[in-house]
Amino acid sequence: MPVISEPTDFNEEELYVNLRATFGIPLFLKCEGFNFAGSIKLKAAAEMVRAAEQDGTLKPGSVLVESSSGNLGVALSMIAASRGYRFLCVTDTRCNLPTRRLMEALGSTVHVIDKPDLHGGFLGARLAHVRALCASDDRYVWLNQYANPNNWKAHYRTTAPEIASRFPHLDVLFVGAGTTGTLMGCARWFWQWRRRVRIVAVDAAGSVTFGGKPGRRLIPGLGTSVRPSLLDESYVDEVVHVGEAETIHTCRLLAGRGFLFGGSTGTVVSGASDWLARHPGRPLTAVAIAPDLGERYLDTVYQAGWPHDALSDEAGVRAGSDAVFQWV
């Protein structure tokens, strides 16, 4: 085992779950939650902070500020604590309470937005709050994960080549779409080096990222109410949308087999399962990225009856899917 000095020095990069063994799905799940921040967002956070330090934007006395639904906020809280910065996270009421408490335990300040913007939803309101903070005090440094190219460069440099090294004959990659940093970094890398890999973006129903109509979303992580500046759809082959009832159902099925993953992972696995069921034929080597683990979702996704109207008939039994993904 390694001996480390800083929390960013450890990140498990080579762990995959073979879902064929437990669910009969021809899919390998890349687990990105085994680091001190607990999610894939550690990669983007570390890359953005490093770049801001190198170009002089971030310096002693600076106060980091960022809008986050949770995981990036935890990663930045950890890095700020490690490097001696103050950090203020702007989130909203959908952020899991354990996530907020974790950021505060790491010494960060959390502002919770409780009213959505009329046109931009909660994200629009969060961004407006961040801009107001930056205008009020020049010590604030906003990394802006939604437009910062170092977000996707982190995954171009690490996540995509990690997958290619383990699966040199990869056919299809499923990536959840939030800020689209992971999606764009991986898609750009495979476009440059292995174009035959099919890139399938998995988005939450009710997200406007790919031009859909805005809708209510309760699970943080994937989906946006403001289209991310990082997104370039020319790198994406297909988009699959997943409803939150299906996300919750898939998370609980995974937990029933001993794998406790976060809401984003449930969304990606559900979308990948649906896509694979609609593309039978020759065997495919398929990988999906699991952004985080499930402990922070115990009071939401894994709470019986939460939310009452999300576990509705809208998910039902997906046509053509394996029997294991039926309602139980």
Side-chain angles (χ1 to χ4, degrees):
M1 295 295 290
V3 176
I4 66 172
S5 300
E6 297 186 10
T8 52
D9 291 341
F10 173 76
N11 186 38
E12 174 56 59
E13 301 171 343
E14 299 180 358
L15 179 62
Y16 294 81
V17 175
N18 182 355
L19 292 184
R20 185 188 293 276
T22 52
F23 289 103
I25 307 169
L27 183 68
F28 295 95
L29 197 57
K30 189 179 194 303
C31 302
E32 290 281 354
F34 291 95
N35 56 57
F36 282 95
S39 81
I40 196 171
K41 289 293 189 176
L42 176 62
K43 292 178 173 178
E47 192 80 13
M48 291 190 293
V49 168
R50 186 183 304 115
E53 289 176 333
Q54 289 177 348
D55 67 17
T57 302
L58 187 59
K59 49 188 178 293
S62 295
V63 180
L64 283 166
V65 61
E66 186 57 84
S67 160
S68 170
S69 62
N71 283 337
L72 184 78
V74 171
L76 286 173
S77 294
M78 187 194 77
I79 293 172
S82 174
R83 301 194 182 186
Y85 297 115
R86 292 169 56 199
F87 172 55
L88 191 159
C89 181
V90 179
T91 188
D92 61 63
T93 53
R94 296 171 300 179
C95 178
N96 299 319
L97 183 57
T99 301
R100 287 158 49 188
R101 287 177 173 170
L102 182 52
M103 287 188 278
E104 291 169 344
L106 289 164
S108 298
T109 300
V110 181
H111 287 186
V112 180
I113 303 300
D114 59 6
K115 293 182 180 179
D117 179 80
L118 183 61
H119 301 290
F122 275 113
L123 178 56
R126 280 163 33 193
L127 295 178
H129 189 71
V130 170
R131 293 187 180 100
L133 287 170
C134 292
S136 70
D137 192 328
D138 59 11
R139 291 177 300 170
Y140 284 116
V141 174
W142 179 23
L143 297 175
N144 193 358
Q145 63 166 328
Y146 310 97
N148 191 325
N150 293 294
N151 184 344
W152 68 259
K153 287 179 181 178
H155 303 287
Y156 182 94
R157 187 174 62 82
T158 61
T159 310
E162 289 163 9
I163 294 170
S165 176
R166 180 61 181 81
F167 297 95
H169 302 294
L170 181 67
D171 294 302
V172 57
L173 177 64
F174 298 95
V175 189
T179 65
T180 68
T182 307
L183 174 64
M184 287 293 95
C186 290
R188 279 185 163 93
W189 193 92
F190 281 106
W191 182 87
Q192 181 173 353
W193 299 106
R194 313 234 178 142
R195 188 56 185 122
R196 70 180 186 85
V197 173
R198 193 164 193 80
I199 304 296
V200 179
V202 182
D203 197 11
S207 167
V208 305
T209 299
F210 293 95
K213 293 183 179 180
R216 182 173 62 90
R217 292 176 291 109
L218 298 177
I219 302 173
L222 300 186
T224 63
S225 53
V226 177
R227 180 183 167 92
S229 300
L230 294 178
L231 177 62
D232 183 342
E233 291 187 58
S234 68
Y235 289 99
V236 179
D237 295 300
E238 291 185 56
V239 180
V240 176
H241 286 90
V242 176
E244 290 193 328
E246 293 175 345
T247 292
I248 294 168
H249 182 61
T250 302
C251 283
R252 294 177 182 178
L253 283 170
L254 288 166
R257 297 297 180 88
F259 294 109
L260 194 72
F261 285 108
S264 297
T265 299
T267 302
V268 174
V269 171
S270 178
S273 175
D274 180 69
W275 189 94
L276 290 167
R278 290 185 285 106
H279 292 79
R282 71 180 182 89
L284 295 173
T285 299
V287 170
I289 297 175
D292 64 358
L293 302 178
E295 292 92 338
R296 298 171 194 173
Y297 301 82
L298 294 178
D299 293 332
T300 54
V301 170
Y302 293 102
Q303 179 67 42
W306 180 92
H308 297 295
D309 55 350
L311 295 173
S312 64
D313 291 336
E314 72 182 41
V317 179
R318 292 196 306 237
S321 64
D322 192 274
V324 76
F325 277 92
Q326 295 181 6
W327 287 92
V328 294

